[in-house]
Amino acid sequence: AQKVTQAQTEISVVEKEDVTLDCVYETRDTTYYLFWYKQPPSGELVFLIRRNSFDEQNEISGRYSWNFQKSTSSFNFTITASQVVDSAVYFCALSELTGNQFYFGTGTSLTVIP
Amino acid sequence: DGGITQSPKYLFRKEGQNVTLSCEQNLNHDAMYWYRQDPGQGLRLIYYSQIVNDFQKGDIAEGYSVSREKKESFPLTVTSAQKNPTAFYLCASSPGTSGYEQYFGPGTRLTVT
């Protein structure tokens, strides 16, 4: 079974629109960590954020914000006022305290149209 | 600058040849990882290493081999036994294995014909 599900394969928005990327995870651990990465066309994955399972506070960093809800096992990512430079593939990932692996979702390809 | 380097960026090989992909980090991280990414797909773990002289198979280790003789280096060999070696290969490192963010190199795009 998929531990991390990103149901949105591709999203297109017009510049300046807000967009939310969904991430649903599955784990039995009480301590775990969630991540978001950005993969621009160059290919290198860029780390965006890390949250642990005990911290459900929403986080905002500039135009980026993250909504972590344990009740729904979701860790959604919102980009406000999207820009062309936001066009990339975005990956959500899970790391469990009891394991040694990252579990990546299949990614959401975001295209921001000027 | 601290970071992860992978070389070369593009690599071409004939079928039946082994090829070694380089990964070096100067972040003083204990853990290192190799992932494979196919077009339109997510990342799949090939091998990881928690410490020097130790490594573990990931989900798709068949046809690949690694070594970890130095903390900063984790080369990946794609052997002729790998059925579909053409892919984008990403190396990553982290301070530890549980709960730490991974930092990625720029990747190597391998084409085997």
Side-chain angles (χ1 to χ4, degrees):
Chain A
Q2 275 282 88
K3 282 190 172 279
V4 178
T5 301
Q6 294 180 256
Q8 304 152 308
T9 307
E10 295 180 3
I11 300 177
S12 290
V13 298
V14 176
E15 200 170 20
K16 296 183 184 175
E17 286 184 348
D18 299 347
V19 58
T20 295
L21 310 182
D22 297 333
C23 174
V24 173
Y25 62 92
E26 180 184 330
T27 180
R28 293 181 181 177
D29 283 22
T30 54
T31 303
Y32 53 90
Y33 303 85
L34 296 163
F35 306 82
W36 275 96
Y37 285 84
K38 175 182 180 179
Q39 186 178 39
S42 61
E44 181 173 344
L45 266 76
V46 177
F47 165 72
L48 295 177
I49 190 171
R50 167 186 180 269
R51 297 308 295 253
N52 72 60
S53 52
F54 298 107
D55 184 2
E56 283 194 77
Q57 254 191 326
N58 290 338
E59 176 138 351
I60 298 174
S61 175
R63 296 184 297 106
Y64 294 172
S65 62
W66 291 270
N67 181 258
F68 176 28
Q69 291 196 333
K70 289 175 77 169
S71 60
T72 55
S73 297
S74 65
F75 186 44
N76 296 339
F77 173 31
T78 297
I79 302 175
T80 303
S82 59
Q83 299 176 2
V84 173
V85 292
D86 296 327
S87 296
V89 180
Y90 291 86
F91 290 97
C92 180
L94 165 73
S95 173
E96 298 165 320
L97 186 64
T98 55
N100 296 320
Q101 291 193 29
F102 255 45
Y103 299 96
F104 282 91
T106 50
T108 297
S109 177
L110 173 65
T111 301
V112 181
I113 303 165
Chain B
D1 274 13
I4 301 174
T5 56
Q6 291 185 244
S7 60
K9 191 163 179 64
Y10 298 94
L11 191 52
F12 298 88
R13 280 293 183 271
K14 294 289 188 186
E15 200 172 313
Q17 293 178 338
N18 290 357
V19 59
T20 297
L21 280 58
S22 164
C23 177
E24 303 277 331
Q25 55 101 357
N26 60 5
L27 299 168
N28 200 33
H29 286 170
D30 285 320
M32 296 187 75
Y33 309 80
W34 274 105
Y35 292 92
R36 170 182 172 138
Q37 186 178 27
D38 293 285
Q41 297 191 28
L43 281 71
R44 292 186 290 169
L45 182 65
I46 304 172
Y47 269 98
Y48 68 96
S49 167
Q50 298 180 72
I51 199 167
V52 174
N53 292 323
D54 179 70
F55 47 83
Q56 307 294 330
K57 291 182 179 180
D59 301 319
I60 56 165
E62 187 176 345
Y64 300 97
S65 66
V66 293
S67 63
R68 186 88 187 274
E69 297 175 2
K70 297 187 297 183
K71 187 174 185 177
E72 57 270 22
S73 179
F74 191 40
L76 172 74
T77 297
V78 185
T79 74
S80 56
Q82 168 51 230
K83 299 297 180 203
N84 296 297
T86 295
F88 187 52
Y89 292 87
L90 284 156
C91 179
S93 73
S94 66
T97 49
S98 294
Y100 293 95
E101 58 266 32
Q102 295 183 9
Y103 294 91
F104 285 81
T108 292
R109 197 167 297 277
L110 173 65
T111 303
V112 177
T113 56

